[in-house]
Amino acid sequence: MAPEALEAMLPYFSEFYGNPSSMHFFGGQVQKKVNEAREQVADFLGAEPSEIIFTSCGTESDNTAILGTLDSYPEKRHFITSRVEHPAVMNVSSHLSRKGYRTTEVSVDREGRLDLDELKESIANETALVSIMYANNETGVLFPVEEIGEIVKSSGIPFHTDGVQAAGKIPLNMKKSTVDLLSLSGHKLHAPKGVGVLYIRKGTRFSPFMIGGHQEKGRRGGTENVPYIIGLGKACELAKKHLEEENTRVRALRDYLEVKILEKVPNTLVNGDRNNRLPNTLSVSFEYVEGESILLLLSDLGICASSGSACTSGSLEPSHVLRAMGVPFTAAHGSIRFSLSIYNTKEEMDYIIEHLPPIIQRLRDISPFWKDYLKAQGKV
Ligand code: PLP
């Protein structure tokens, strides 16, 4: 979390604990602060404050955008998304398919780029919504969101994008965008975990997902998580200021790490379109080793990366993203993702570069697949 965001939040746990819905002055001053946070978020997104709904997380924003739109077009029973979405969209698509909706998951190529022809061909009269992510959370690959939006809007269909990974990394301006609904999540922006935003363009048809009180103008019931909303507002203000640093210093750190890893570790691939990626993300596959083993050994050294082969579900299958891209099995299993931020330093990159190559070598020395590979190459 940004220290400034934490500092802005703290008084709203103690001194100013009023409920923004209350009529008295004590609630009113909190309501004023929530409105200020809404303005900060709107300013960050180039949107109107009335187009901002606070939610509990990116997942709630994605679910609300999809289920809330489909609910307002009951006669339309087709949903389009991509094969590489975050589970917050992917699993909603599977849920819809079990409920009798027709769903289309558009393919990507080996570099993780969306097949725009397949998207065009899949649009039908019965399509209620297209939801395609802005940037992929595993590879950082950026989709051409405005081009996608033009295709979708030319058929008069609403367009949602999961902007969770893109926000704070690339400039967003909803006033000049084709996007109707956009999801954000606090913790990707140095705000706390457990708060999110759904942007809904004025005039977009929508039914609330969280049905309850009059909060958020009746579009999301439930008492507001005031301190977290204030932290998110502050984080958005900071993210706007740090955008340039993300695209210069952070990008240079990521590129340095990438070049050094490729130089020092043989049989290594970078996943995703290297010319069209978020500045902070590096997905890298080390052939013939297990991503989880690499992560555990890195973790022992205080290096926190995440698994691209995501066996979080306990399955030994590589991630759906890398499978959709056709990354070979031997590489997909050994994938890890580094996500950098403005708080990372060159010294930290050097520390990784010092310790990663011996870890990979150690794991390959005990890998039967690596031994088979060396034999096939006539190297043993
Ligand atoms: N969408 C994307 C692309 C993400 O990367 C994430 C979280 O990592 C989410 C949605 C879900 O956000 P949250 O964890 O706030 O529910």
Side-chain angles (χ1 to χ4, degrees), residues 14-164:
S14 50
E15 203 181 332
F16 302 109
Y17 57 82
N19 184 331
S21 297
S22 300
M23 292 292 287
H24 46 65
F25 79 95
F26 198 54
Q29 62 195 10
V30 175
Q31 180 68 60
K32 200 165 152 242
K33 199 69 191 171
V34 168
N35 287 342
E36 235 176 84
R38 202 184 304 282
E39 278 163 24
Q40 285 166 314
V41 176
D43 182 54
F44 170 63
L45 288 178
E48 293 298 324
S50 60
E51 295 174 318
I52 304 300
I53 298 181
F54 290 114
T55 66
S56 67
C57 58
T59 302
E60 187 193 320
S61 301
D62 284 340
N63 274 251
T64 304
I66 300 169
L67 301 175
T69 305
L70 295 189
D71 196 46
S72 60
Y73 290 93
E75 70 292 358
K76 298 200 169 187
R77 305 281 296 172
H78 180 221
F79 171 65
I80 300 176
T81 187
S82 83
R83 287 181 63 193
V84 295
E85 297 293 317
H86 185 274
V89 171
M90 208 70 193
N91 289 340
V92 178
S93 181
S94 315
H95 167 81
L96 289 171
S97 150
R98 285 192 299 274
K99 290 270 174 198
Y101 275 84
R102 187 163 77 81
T103 58
T104 304
E105 285 153 12
V106 179
S107 315
V108 295
D109 68 10
R110 181 68 180 78
E111 303 285 294
R113 292 175 296 223
L114 196 76
D115 185 334
L116 293 180
D117 291 329
E118 197 181 310
L119 170 68
K120 281 180 202 154
E121 283 156 23
S122 66
I123 292 175
N125 283 339
E126 50 158 358
T127 309
L129 178 70
V130 176
S131 175
I132 304 277
M133 69 198 324
Y134 218 121
N136 187 269
N137 47 299
E138 287 186 30
T139 59
V141 171
L142 283 159
F143 283 155
V145 162
E146 295 311 328
E147 200 181 333
I148 294 170
E150 268 162 35
I151 296 169
V152 174
K153 301 306 287 294
S154 68
S155 303
I157 297 166
F159 176 41
H160 166 246
T161 187
D162 175 338
V164 166

Side-chain angles (χ1 to χ4, degrees), residues 185-196:
S185 172
H187 63 286
K188 307 293 176 192
L189 284 163
H190 306 296
K193 293 170 278 293
V195 64

Side-chain angles (χ1 to χ4, degrees), residues 124-371:
N125 283 339
E126 50 158 358
T127 309
L129 178 70
V130 176
S131 175
I132 304 277
M133 69 198 324
Y134 218 121
N136 187 269
N137 47 299
E138 287 186 30
T139 59
V141 171
L142 283 159
F143 283 155
V145 162
E146 295 311 328
E147 200 181 333
I148 294 170
E150 268 162 35
I151 296 169
V152 174
K153 301 306 287 294
S154 68
S155 303
I157 297 166
F159 176 41
H160 166 246
T161 187
D162 175 338
V164 166
Q165 291 286 338
K169 308 290 182 280
I170 56 163
L172 297 172
N173 185 354
M174 292 300 110
K175 285 205 178 72
K176 291 193 179 147
S177 175
T178 51
V179 170
D180 294 310
L181 303 111
L182 174 126
S183 309
L184 299 189
S185 172
H187 63 286
K188 307 293 176 192
L189 284 163
H190 306 296
K193 293 170 278 293
V195 64
V197 165
L198 177 62
Y199 158 85
I200 307 181
R201 181 177 299 284
K202 197 171 169 209
T204 305
R205 251 162 88 175
F206 166 82
S207 312
F209 172 59
M210 293 275 276
I211 300 171
H214 61 274
Q215 292 92 350
E216 301 297 285
K217 296 207 166 80
R219 295 172 300 176
R220 197 265 188 189
T223 301
E224 297 87 341
N225 188 353
V226 171
Y228 282 53
I229 287 172
I230 290 168
L232 179 58
K234 186 70 192 172
C236 283
E237 187 190 299
L238 295 168
K240 200 173 165 183
K241 287 190 194 140
H242 291 150
L243 205 52
E244 195 181 323
E245 187 181 349
E246 288 279 0
N247 283 280
T248 51
R249 194 181 69 80
V250 176
R251 183 186 293 277
L253 281 185
R254 189 275 313 272
D255 291 347
Y256 174 70
L257 181 64
E258 174 176 300
V259 165
K260 288 290 176 192
I261 290 175
L262 290 174
E263 194 182 295
K264 290 183 182 284
V265 188
N267 294 75
T268 300
L269 325 170
V270 171
N271 299 309
D273 181 359
R274 286 165 82 180
N275 298 320
N276 216 358
R277 258 184 315 170
L278 293 173
N280 71 321
T281 307
L282 172 60
S283 165
V284 63
S285 291
F286 302 97
E287 286 186 304
Y288 310 110
V289 285
E290 278 285 325
E292 284 67 29
S293 313
I294 308 170
L295 292 183
L296 292 176
L297 293 172
L298 286 175
S299 173
D300 285 345
L301 296 164
I303 300 169
C304 304
S306 69
S307 172
S309 63
C311 295
T312 41
S313 60
S315 116
L316 285 174
E317 283 289 301
S319 88
H320 69 284
V321 174
L322 299 181
R323 267 183 293 143
M325 289 165 62
V327 175
F329 200 72
T330 44
H333 263 300
S335 300
I336 62 172
R337 181 194 68 177
F338 293 99
S339 314
L340 310 184
S341 82
I342 51 161
Y343 298 112
N344 286 116
T345 62
K346 163 98 170 16
E347 288 67 37
E348 287 169 338
M349 300 306 110
D350 286 329
Y351 183 69
I352 300 172
I353 293 158
E354 183 189 341
H355 291 285
L356 183 64
I359 286 177
I360 305 298
Q361 192 52 52
R362 201 172 129 194
L363 293 171
R364 281 182 177 162
D365 287 346
I366 55 168
S367 159
F369 303 109
W370 179 246
K371 286 198 184 103

